[in-house]
């Protein structure tokens, strides 16, 4: 197992790790602060991500609740756990799991952007449901923290160079160039 | 007429010109294969996709990009959704939500939603069309190559399809409380999302000559 010092690009592990850590920290206010305020026919509710999902399920919208759960709770946690595993494996140097980990990296790249679903949802509802006292939707500060989590996890994923899992220092690999 | 991305070619043992294809995920080098329609080239080492010959071909990718670009203004400007409650009617546009976020003091988030949902797809399509045209006209430019690499970053944050799904979810829930009519802006935006996905997929993966 080659030690990390033999790779010329140890910097991008540190960058990816710090971004992932920042995302993990932001996950706390994202889930504890409310993200949306709804007022409908006199009933007022202020929801966090989780209570919003519970509310959807209680009202019978199971499918919507599941979709929002996957996009807003499952994917960010899955991304952070996977990033932690990738970073830990990269520190060890190339190993037997490189292929599996590369596939995981590709999966993370694809699903990362879908967490923005909740942000778009809040933005859309806030814009469209504005009927004064009868019905109103407003965004709350938690959604900013949540957007930060999404952005940071994506940046952490982009900062991580999967070639390190294979032991090839990124700077020495010939790059496609134009003629 | 079709644009080509050139790779550094070397001679193999038979003296023939061989093109290199380098896997972006693990750094493994390959000889460029000849792909038939619908075939995918995968990395020998890590099994990730290197290139794919789409069913539609390179000219179709250009057509998708142009169509997408033409759909940009209609989706931004036409009525997106009309909501009716207790006699009062409210017409919303694509960026009404952005405006509300801004008005509520969430300036950064408003700009971010605007970027991900509107500006990034527009920028991506403009760049793709520009790259296709410059290659077709044969305008040799250093900037074109750098642009082709930079556009990947824009493409990552161009996520109109996520916004379409968010709108559909919101509508499914709202339909009980208010009366909702989807406007032409919505359909143009949904078509824009599809065109952006097809154009980017074709440009990114269909890179073998």
């Amino acid at each position: 197992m080659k030690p990390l010092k033999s790779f010329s690009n140890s910097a991008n592990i540190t960058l990816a790790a710090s971004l992932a850590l920042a995302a993990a920290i932001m996950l706390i206010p994202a889930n504890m602060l409310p993200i949306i305020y709804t007022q409908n026919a006199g009933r007022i509710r202020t929801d966090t991500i989780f209570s919003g999902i519970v509310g959807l399920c209680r009202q019978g919208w199971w499918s919507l609740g599941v979709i929002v759960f996957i996009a807003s709770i499952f994917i960010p946690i899955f991304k952070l756990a996977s990033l932690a595993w990738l970073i830990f494996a990269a520190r060890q140097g190339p190993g037997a799991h490189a292929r599996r980990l590369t596939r995981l990296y590709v999966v993370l790249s694809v699903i990362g952007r879908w967490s923005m679903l909740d942000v778009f949802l809040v933005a859309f509802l806030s814009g469209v449901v504005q009927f004064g006292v009868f019905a109103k939707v407003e965004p709350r500060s938690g959604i900013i923290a949540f957007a930060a989590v999404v952005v940071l996890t994506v940046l952490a994923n982009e900062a991580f160079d999967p070639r390190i899992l294979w032991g090839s220092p990124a700077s020495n690999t010939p790059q496609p160039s134009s003629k | 007429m079709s644009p080509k991305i050139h790779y550094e070619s070397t001679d193999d043992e038979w003296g023939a010109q061989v093109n290199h294809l380098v896997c972006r995920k693990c750094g493994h080098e390959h000889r460029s294969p000849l792909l038939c329609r619908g075939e995918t080239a995968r990395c020998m080492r890590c099994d990730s996709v290197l290139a794919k010959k789409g069913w539609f071909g390179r000219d179709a990718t250009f057509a998708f990009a142009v169509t997408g670009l033409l759909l940009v203004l209609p989706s931004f400007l036409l009525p997106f959704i009309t909501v009716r409650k207790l006699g009062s009617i409210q017409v919303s546009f694509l960026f009404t939500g952005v405006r509300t976020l801004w008005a509520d003091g969430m300036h950064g988030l408003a700009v971010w939603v605007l970027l991900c949902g509107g500006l990034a797809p527009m920028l991506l399509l403009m760049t793709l069309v520009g790259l296709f045209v410059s290659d077709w006209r044969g305008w040799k430019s250093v900037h074109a190559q750098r642009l082709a690499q930079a556009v990947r970053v824009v493409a990552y944050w161009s996520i109109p399809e996520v916004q379409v799904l968010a709108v559909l979810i919101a509508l499914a829930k709202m339909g009980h409380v208010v009366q909702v009519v989807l406007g032409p802006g919505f359909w143009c935006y949904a078509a824009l999302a599809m065109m952006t996905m097809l154009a980017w997929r074709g440009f990114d993966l269909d890179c073998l000559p």
Side-chain angles (χ1 to χ4, degrees):
Chain A
M1 289 243 206
K2 281 191 203 155
L4 191 61
K5 283 195 275 289
S6 71
F7 298 130
S8 48
N9 269 4
S10 55
N12 60 5
I13 298 282
T14 320
L15 181 63
S18 357
L19 288 168
L21 189 64
I25 292 172
M26 288 306 287
L27 205 57
I28 299 171
N31 279 298
M32 303 225 64
L33 291 174
I35 59 163
I36 197 169
Y37 162 94
T38 11
Q39 181 184 322
N40 181 28
R43 272 177 296 144
I44 296 178
R45 50 183 301 157
T46 307
D47 281 306
T48 62
I49 295 175
F50 192 68
S51 71
I53 293 169
V54 170
L56 276 174
C57 292
R58 280 229 182 96
Q59 285 165 19
W61 299 105
W62 286 95
S63 38
L64 300 186
V66 165
I67 294 175
V68 178
F69 175 80
I70 290 174
S72 309
I73 293 187
F74 176 72
I75 289 182
I77 293 180
F78 176 72
K79 281 203 81 168
L80 283 172
S82 307
L83 278 169
W85 188 18
L86 283 169
I87 289 167
F88 180 69
R91 281 183 65 83
Q92 305 273 23
H97 296 300
R99 208 174 212 223
R100 197 184 307 172
L101 289 169
T102 310
R103 210 169 291 160
L104 181 66
Y105 174 84
V106 173
V107 165
L108 290 185
S109 310
V110 169
I111 66 171
R113 61 247 291 270
W114 286 94
S115 288
M116 278 292 288
L117 185 74
D118 222 348
V119 180
F120 281 128
L121 197 56
V122 171
F124 176 74
L125 285 172
S126 310
V128 161
V129 184
Q130 292 293 337
F131 288 97
V133 290
F134 300 110
K136 196 198 269 206
V137 172
E138 279 173 18
R140 286 290 179 262
S141 49
I143 199 72
I144 302 178
F146 183 71
V149 170
V150 178
V151 172
L152 287 168
T153 50
V154 169
L155 290 177
N157 198 42
E158 294 300 298
F160 183 83
D161 191 344
R163 285 177 293 196
I164 247 178
L165 295 166
W166 296 92
S168 53
S171 54
N172 287 348
T173 310
Q175 294 294 326
S177 56
S178 65
K179 275 198 124 172
Chain B
M1 156 124 188
S2 313
K4 289 178 178 27
I5 299 176
H6 298 277
Y7 291 93
E8 196 167 65
S9 58
T10 56
D11 292 338
D12 69 356
E13 54 263 50
W14 295 284
Q17 289 283 312
V18 171
N19 283 328
H20 259 142
L21 201 56
V22 182
C23 175
R24 266 183 254 140
K25 304 288 182 290
C26 71
H28 198 60
E29 293 164 30
H30 304 77
R31 203 174 292 175
S32 293
L34 265 145
L35 293 177
C36 300
R37 286 212 167 162
E39 284 188 338
T40 312
R42 289 186 163 264
C43 175
M44 296 290 294
R45 191 154 67 158
C46 68
D47 202 40
S48 48
V49 177
L50 289 172
K52 190 179 163 70
K53 195 136 191 106
W55 290 105
F56 298 121
R58 213 81 60 96
D59 295 333
T61 308
F62 178 53
F64 290 139
V66 170
T67 313
L69 201 55
L70 291 172
L71 286 165
V72 165
L73 275 180
S75 29
F76 286 13
L77 300 176
L78 289 176
F80 198 73
I81 207 160
T82 307
V83 182
R84 211 166 291 184
K85 178 157 177 110
L86 298 174
S88 75
I89 298 176
Q90 185 143 328
V91 180
S92 299
F93 297 84
L94 180 61
F95 297 129
T96 305
V98 173
R99 212 175 297 155
T100 312
L101 285 176
W102 185 276
D104 278 340
M106 301 186 174
H107 302 314
L109 199 64
V111 169
W112 186 246
V113 172
L114 179 69
L115 211 100
C116 290
L119 291 184
M122 182 177 79
L123 214 69
L124 175 67
L125 290 167
M126 279 167 50
T127 314
L128 288 182
V129 170
L131 284 172
F132 271 103
V133 166
S134 82
D135 201 273
W136 173 47
R137 292 302 211 123
W139 297 336
K140 302 271 185 269
S141 169
V142 182
H143 299 297
Q145 282 299 320
R146 245 178 276 152
L147 204 62
Q149 284 165 353
V151 82
R152 189 156 282 127
V153 178
V154 179
Y156 202 77
W157 286 113
S158 153
I159 47 177
E161 65 271 12
V162 181
Q163 184 159 38
V164 170
L165 182 63
V167 169
L168 292 176
I169 290 176
L171 293 182
K173 205 200 152 193
M174 268 167 58
H176 261 233
V177 180
V178 292
Q179 207 183 334
V180 172
V181 174
L182 292 169
F186 173 79
W187 299 112
C188 288
Y189 189 70
L192 172 74
M194 177 156 267
M195 292 297 119
T196 314
M197 282 202 297
L198 289 169
W200 175 244
R201 220 176 121 79
F203 180 81
D204 191 33
L205 292 177
D206 204 351
C207 55
L208 293 176

